[in-house]
Amino acid sequence: MKTPRRPKLILNGFWNIKIDYSDSGEVEGFFKGFESSDVVYVPSSYNEQNPLWDGYAGIVWYQRRFYVPRDYSGKRARMIFKGAGYITRVWLNGIFVGEHEGSYTQFKFDVTDVIRYGDWNLLVVKIDNRISIDRIPPGRSINEVVYDFYPYGGIHRDVYLEFTSQEYINDLKIITTHKGYLYAEASISSSKLCEAIFRLRDRELKEIFMAKAPCINGKSSIETTLANVVPWEPEKPYLYTLEVELVVENQVVDAVEEYIGFRSIGIVDGKILINDKPVFLKGFSRHEDYPITGRYVPGSVLVRDFYLMKQIGANSFRTSHYPYSDEHLDLADSFGMLVILESPICLSGMPSNDDARKWCSNPIIIEKALKMVEEMVLQHRNRPSVVMYSILNEPPTDLEECAELARRLVEHIKKLDPTRPITFASHKRANDKALQYVDVISLNFYYGWYSEWGNIEEGLRKALDETGKIHQLFPSKPIIITEFGADAVIGLHSEPPLMWSEEYQAEFLRRYIEEFSRKEYIHGLHIWNFADFRTPQNHWRTMLNRKGIFTRERQPKLSVRIVKDLFSKIPTYRV
C-alpha cells in the first residue's frame, strides 16, 4: 500500500552509531542518547561502511535527531521501518515504542503520544544482529551459519515518520483476474461514520471506474467486473492505479493507492498458467547484496539489474532467500517479471538431524516462522508480479518434524491468500516428505559442482534421473529447477573447461538449460545466481559465492552470452 499523499519526514541519511560489544547499552541508558563520533549511512547495512565493523555480528546502536513542525500536531504519527534487524528495538525521546524481529519486512510503531511538535526529537535504535540457533535463519557464529549468504545487520531500508488524521486507512487488499474482476477491501481505523471512495485510473491517470462503499465493522469494500481491461502480462505489464479515499463528515481525511495489474495465476494439468496461458519461468535466483551498502541495493543498481535481466531474455526471479525491498518488487511489477516471493526461512545446512528436528518442532520457532511469512504475504499480496510464494529454502523436510512445519506454513498462507500457488526449494529429492503439501515442486541441483565435480555430463544425468522420479510421484504438479550453477572467477579461463573457469560455468549452464528445457514437465529454470554475492568465510568460498553470471559489480562473465542465446529460444508462453 502506497501513501504518497500522507505527510512524511524522511529519516534517511547520516546517523550516529555506537558498537555495544557487551550488550550493556540498555543498562547504561543509551536509549536516552549516547556520545559517539562514529557515523553510519541509512539505508545500508553497517558492516562494510567501516573496515573495523566488518566481521562483527552483534549489537549496535543508532541515533539521530529530527525536527517535527508544529503544523503536524493533532495528527497520528507512525515511525516506519522498511527493513532493519535482525531484532530492532526503538526509543523516541527516551521512551520505548516497540520491537520487531526479522530483517526483511516492514514494521511500524505509533509514536503519536511521544512526539514533540515544534521541537527537536531524539530517535534511538538498538540493532541486535547476533547469530543464534533460535533465529530465522539460524546459525552459531558469523562464519558458522546454515545459509550461504552474509549475515548483514543494521537499518537496511528506508526509515520515515508518517502522519495521518485520527481516522485513516490501515491496509488495502486487492484481488484481480485478467478478465476484469476487481475486489478491493480497505481496512479502516475510525470511530466515526465514514465511507471509502475507490477510483481506478489507467496508465494516463484517466479515471475509468469509481465506486463508494460505507465503512462496516472497520472495512469498506467493492467488487466489480470491468470490461476491456488490459491484462498484466510478462511481455506487456500494464499497470493501473487504484486510489482509495477515506471520507469522514464529508471531508477526505486520508488517501492511499496501489499499482495493480489484472492478472490470473493457476495450476492446471501440471502447468503454470498466467491469464489462462501456460508459461515457462526463465531467469534467476538473486540476492540483495552490493559492495559497501550490503543488503541495501541502490535504486540505480536495481534499474541496471532489471535491464540486464530483460536483455538476457529472463522473465522471472526468486527472492532468495528472503522478501526483497518494495523498490525491488516495484520494478518487477513495472518490468513484467514473474516473482517467486520467498520467506527468510533458509535451512540449507542444519548441523545434524537432531538439531533440525528440535528446531522445526520448537513452538517458539514455529510462532516466529508463521509471523514472518504472514508479514511477507500481507506486505506484497497486491503485486501482479508475485505469482508464487516459497515458504522455505532447502529445509530438511525428509524429517517428519520439518515436513510438519512446511505443512503448517502452507496452511497459514492459504488462509491469508488463497489466490497464489505455494512452493519451496527442495534438495531432499524423492525423500522429501513435504512435496505433497505444495502446488509447485521446486528443486535445487548442483551435480557437476558439489558432487560429480569436474564431470558435467555425469552430474546432469543424475539431476535428470532424480527429476524424472519426482515427476512420476507427482505427475500433476509443475516442476521448476530453482537452483543450478557453478562458480566462476572472472578472468580465469581454461580449455578444456575446468572448474572455477568461466568456460566451465558456461558449459554447465548450457547443458542444464538445453536438457531441462526439453522436458515437458519442467516449467521453469532459475540459474543460481544472477550476480556474485558475499558469504561468510570458509574454505570453499573465495570471499564471495561466485556462481553469478555477473560479478558483484555487475560486469558480465562468459556465461552471459550463452544464457542469452539459450533463453532467446525458450518462449514465455508454451504451446
Side-chain angles (χ1 to χ4, degrees), residues 22-41:
S22 60
D23 190 17
S24 60
E26 288 199 45
V27 174
E28 296 180 25
F30 286 9
F31 55 86
K32 299 176 183 178
F34 57 82
E35 294 295 325
S36 175
S37 59
D38 286 332
V39 296
V40 67
Y41 191 80

Side-chain angles (χ1 to χ4, degrees), residues 39-60:
V39 296
V40 67
Y41 191 80
V42 173
S44 286
S45 308
Y46 67 78
N47 308 77
E48 294 188 26
Q49 295 193 52
N50 182 342
L52 297 177
W53 306 334
D54 206 316
Y56 176 70
I59 294 171
V60 297

